């Protein structure tokens, strides 16, 4: 498979009180169109990734809404898969090109979260969980905390190792001018931050974020573009109670296994990856479940700097700062991961550039692992 | 958010899940609750494996902080769940208590 990312763009991520969803979309899409160098008239379809607009803002029908806003009278679709909406929209757009129906399509991920009270956002996000979990009063930090405790019990993972994920990703975000938190933090700061859901503390959690990201995908690669060579999706049970294991996200394992097979490479070939670190434990699960490290070793290896800018031996994980520090506007995240990897492969990441990056990976998770989407990208050398 | 019809439909299921014995597989403590649970916070939640092999996600009631641990034996009970809304229908559901 060879689907080119010919243009990409994203807004600044953060608490953007003065910016509307429409303005976020205009900003990200304008950057992507300018970057692609192609005329907007060549875009044949629009895929909008969003999770919360209907629940929080009572606004559905986002395909038509953003087509109107962007001045595009073309087929438009909304794709929802919780926090994996962005990855799913990319996957759907890729399939639409592979089907032969379209040659050039636009994917927009957009989320506006800070217009609403934290408990409303927390409840709305629980739309991604099961009814049983909602009635138990569970939250996403709470559910990932249950996974974290199970991992600590099974493999001896420590709270300090969890904290090292946050420290690494804040360090990376300090090199990213579009990140929500551009301030490095210490292990102690994480360990002493207030407890949200034991054992997860405030600084173990990704923030509530506004933001948008956009990419233009095309059948035809252009000079110095990035090319999607694998796009795979897997699902698991909606709730965590129905799973055999609480220390593995089986959907991640399956989607990555299929993606590596499709790309005919292994995780040893990946130079830079954006993985779904909505909570620190989530990055640990991601690295283990995709095979970057053996089960139970991720926390230790991340703490040693194995995946950090400057000290990484093989692969830098979450060079953007990840969901943790770059921010997590849920529907935009999966698209933003493609934007970051494209920028890395095109060598335009400035201070956070991973040298000689040729293969990149994105890993986007919905809920507590009910959906996982994995993409593998290659630097195009025309 | 609360549908009286949904509550009515769930009654048989809830009745079938009362008095079952199980043990805690993993747990957490919710300190920042979602809408409708602020009156109960902070409260523990757990994934519990029942004797019939099924697992459920449930709030823990009648707990003591020092006793919460993986492997703790519990039994399912009926309790109020989310705070009621203007409809006035009180939603009940399954929670677990240590035994």
């Amino acid at each position: 498979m060879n689907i080119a990312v010919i243009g990409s763009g994203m807004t600044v991520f953060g608490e953007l009180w003065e910016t509307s969803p429409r303005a976020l979309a205009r900003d990200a899409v304008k950057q992507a169109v300018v970057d692609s160098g192609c005329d907007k008239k060549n875009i044949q379809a629009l895929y909008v990734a969003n999770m919360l607009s209907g629940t929080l803002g009572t606004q559905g029908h986002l395909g038509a809404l953003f087509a109107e806003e962007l001045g595009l009278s073309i087929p438009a679709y909304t794709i929802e898969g919780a926090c994996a909406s962005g990855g799913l929209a990319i996957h759907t757009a890729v399939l639409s090109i592979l089907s032969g129906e379209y040659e050039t399509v636009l994917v927009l991920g957009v989320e506006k979260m800070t217009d609403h009270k934290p408990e409303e956002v927390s409840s709305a996000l629980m739309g991604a969980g099961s009814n049983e979990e909602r009635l138990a009063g569970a939250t996403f930090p709470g559910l990932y905390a249950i996974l974290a405790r199970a991992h600590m019990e099974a493999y001896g993972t420590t709270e300090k190792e969890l904290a090292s994920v946050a420290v690494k990703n804040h360090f990376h975000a300090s090199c990213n001018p579009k990140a929500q938190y551009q301030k490095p933090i210490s292990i102690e700061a994480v360990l002493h931050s207030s407890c949200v859901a034991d054992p997860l503390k405030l600084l173990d959690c990704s923030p509530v974020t506004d933001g948008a990201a956009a990419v233009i995908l095309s059948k035809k690669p252009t000079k110095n573009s990035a090319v999607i060579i694998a796009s795979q999706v897997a699902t698991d049970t909606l709730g965590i109670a129905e799973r055999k294991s609480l220390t593995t996200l089986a959907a991640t394992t399956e989607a990555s296994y299929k993606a590596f097979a499709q790309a005919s490479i292994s995780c040893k070939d990946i130079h830079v990856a954006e993985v779904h670190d909505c909570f620190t434990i989530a990055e640990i699960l991601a690295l283990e479940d995709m095979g970057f490290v053996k089960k139970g070793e991720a926390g230790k290896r991340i703490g040693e700097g194995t995946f950090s800018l400057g000290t990484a031996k093989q692969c830098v994980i979450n060079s953007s700062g990840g969901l943790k520090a770059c921010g997590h506007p849920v529907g935009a995240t999966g698209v933003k991961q493609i934007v970051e990897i494209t920028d890395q492969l095109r060598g335009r990441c400035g201070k956070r550039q991973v040298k000689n990056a040729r293969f990149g990976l994105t890993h986007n998770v919905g809920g507590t692992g009910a959906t996982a989407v994995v993409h593998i990208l290659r630097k195009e050398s025309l | 958010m609360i549908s009286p019809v949904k509550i009515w439909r769930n009654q048989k299921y809830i009745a079938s899940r009362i008095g079952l014995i199980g043990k805690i597989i993993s747990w957490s403590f919710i300190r920042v609750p979602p809408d409708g649970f602020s009156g109960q916070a902070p409260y523990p939640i757990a994934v519990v494996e029942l004797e019939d092999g099924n697992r459920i996600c449930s709030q823990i009631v009648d707990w003591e902080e020092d006793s919460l641990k993986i492997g703790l034996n519990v039994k399912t009970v009926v309790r109020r769940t989310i705070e009621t809304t203007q409809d006035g229908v009180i939603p009940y559901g399954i929670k677990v208590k240590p035994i």
Side-chain angles (χ1 to χ4, degrees):
Chain A
M1 180 168 82
N2 272 313
I3 303 293
V5 184
I6 61 169
S8 64
M10 66 180 275
T11 66
V12 167
F13 277 12
E15 296 183 351
L16 311 175
W17 309 106
E18 295 184 354
T19 315
S20 69
R22 285 173 182 264
L24 289 171
R26 281 199 305 272
D27 181 5
V29 170
K30 188 179 174 189
Q31 292 177 45
V33 170
V34 169
D35 183 41
S36 72
C38 86
D39 194 317
K40 208 166 76 174
K41 279 185 287 191
N42 293 333
I43 297 171
Q44 296 166 298
L46 166 66
Y47 296 86
V48 179
N50 175 273
M51 176 189 177
L52 300 172
S53 177
T55 321
L56 285 177
T58 66
Q59 178 66 64
H61 213 166
L62 297 186
L65 185 153
F66 287 109
E68 171 213 293
E69 181 59 38
L70 299 165
L72 298 166
S73 294
I74 53 175
Y77 313 83
T78 314
I79 309 290
E80 193 276 322
C83 304
S85 299
L88 270 187
I90 298 278
H91 177 75
T92 309
V94 164
L95 295 183
S96 78
I97 294 174
L98 290 177
S99 77
E101 183 71 15
Y102 307 123
E103 284 197 7
T104 306
V105 302
L106 170 63
V107 185
L108 164 69
V110 57
E111 203 77 59
K112 186 79 182 118
M113 301 173 78
T114 68
D115 289 0
H116 307 276
K117 290 192 289 187
E119 55 270 39
E120 289 171 353
V121 173
S122 184
S123 294
L125 287 168
M126 277 310 293
S130 69
N131 192 47
E132 182 179 89
E133 289 169 343
R134 277 190 293 279
L135 288 177
T139 58
F140 269 96
L143 295 171
Y144 272 94
I146 285 176
L147 303 182
R149 192 181 299 280
H151 200 275
M152 291 162 90
E153 173 87 359
Y155 301 107
T157 301
T158 65
E159 292 183 30
K160 201 173 159 186
E161 286 170 353
L162 292 174
S164 68
V165 175
V167 170
K168 169 178 72 68
N169 292 348
H170 273 258
F171 162 57
H172 290 173
S174 74
C175 306
N176 182 357
K178 288 189 171 172
Q180 184 164 1
Y181 299 122
Q182 297 173 34
K183 189 180 149 203
I185 55 171
S186 65
I187 295 274
E188 288 68 33
V190 182
L191 294 176
H192 293 131
S193 60
S194 59
C195 199
V196 173
D198 319 39
L200 297 182
K201 290 158 282 288
L202 185 65
L203 291 178
D204 282 300
C205 307
S206 58
V208 167
T209 309
D210 302 324
V215 296
I216 297 173
L217 304 182
S218 172
K219 202 169 130 182
K220 294 175 192 151
T222 51
K223 201 179 176 195
N224 195 27
S225 58
V227 181
I228 297 173
I229 57 172
S231 175
Q232 292 291 339
V233 177
T235 58
D236 197 351
T237 62
L238 203 53
I240 57 171
E242 288 77 13
R243 311 228 180 112
K244 278 186 199 139
S245 169
L246 294 182
T247 54
T248 288
L249 299 189
T252 294
T253 305
E254 189 185 336
S256 64
Y257 180 81
K258 290 193 293 185
F260 284 127
Q262 187 175 21
S264 300
I265 62 169
S266 79
C267 56
K268 290 190 180 68
D269 299 307
I270 302 291
H271 303 112
V272 58
E274 289 283 300
V275 308
H276 199 91
D277 60 328
C278 48
F279 301 95
T280 49
I281 181 64
E283 178 166 318
I284 287 173
L285 294 174
L287 294 189
E288 293 173 356
D289 295 342
M290 288 192 285
F292 283 92
V293 293
K294 282 188 193 148
K295 201 71 206 162
E297 287 183 3
K300 184 164 172 281
R301 299 280 299 280
I302 291 165
E304 289 167 355
T306 308
F307 301 105
S308 304
L309 274 170
T311 53
K313 292 183 182 74
Q314 165 66 32
C315 179
V316 175
I317 301 292
N318 283 327
S319 60
S320 71
L323 285 57
K324 174 66 200 78
C326 185
H328 184 26
V330 289
T333 283
V335 182
K336 168 243 151 187
Q337 292 179 323
I338 298 286
V339 172
E340 174 70 10
I341 294 300
T342 299
D343 284 345
Q344 285 287 356
L345 297 179
R346 294 177 67 177
R348 53 184 190 183
C349 279
K351 278 201 289 186
R352 67 181 193 286
Q353 181 63 46
V354 176
K355 279 180 195 154
N356 303 318
R358 284 188 297 111
F359 287 102
L361 175 145
T362 65
H363 162 253
N364 193 196
V365 170
T368 43
T371 298
V373 188
V374 172
H375 284 97
I376 297 174
L377 291 88
R378 189 190 66 215
K379 181 187 174 85
E380 184 60 290
S381 40
L382 284 177
Chain B
M1 289 285 278
I2 299 175
S3 156
V5 178
K6 199 168 158 186
I7 290 173
W8 170 76
R9 199 165 59 233
N10 278 340
Q11 285 182 102
K12 274 188 188 169
Y13 173 76
I14 292 169
S16 75
R17 308 306 280 170
I18 301 170
L20 303 176
I21 306 293
K23 64 172 183 174
I24 291 177
I25 299 297
S26 186
W27 61 280
S28 177
F29 210 88
I30 303 294
R31 295 178 191 275
V32 184
D35 253 355
F37 287 88
S38 54
Q40 301 174 51
Y43 50 84
I45 61 165
V47 169
V48 172
E49 184 161 300
L50 301 172
E51 280 182 338
D52 63 9
N54 288 317
R55 288 184 176 188
I56 58 169
C57 179
S58 165
Q59 210 179 102
I60 306 171
V61 295
D62 300 341
W63 49 275
E64 287 172 28
E65 190 139 13
D66 295 341
S67 70
L68 291 174
K69 59 171 198 249
I70 290 172
L72 182 70
N73 290 320
V74 295
K75 119 179 139 175
T76 57
V77 292
V78 175
R79 288 286 188 278
R80 285 184 183 203
T81 55
I82 193 166
E83 282 156 25
T84 191
T85 55
Q86 284 176 336
D87 291 331
V89 179
I90 299 171
Y92 287 91
I94 293 295
K95 298 189 181 181
V96 299
K97 67 182 274 184
I99 48 173

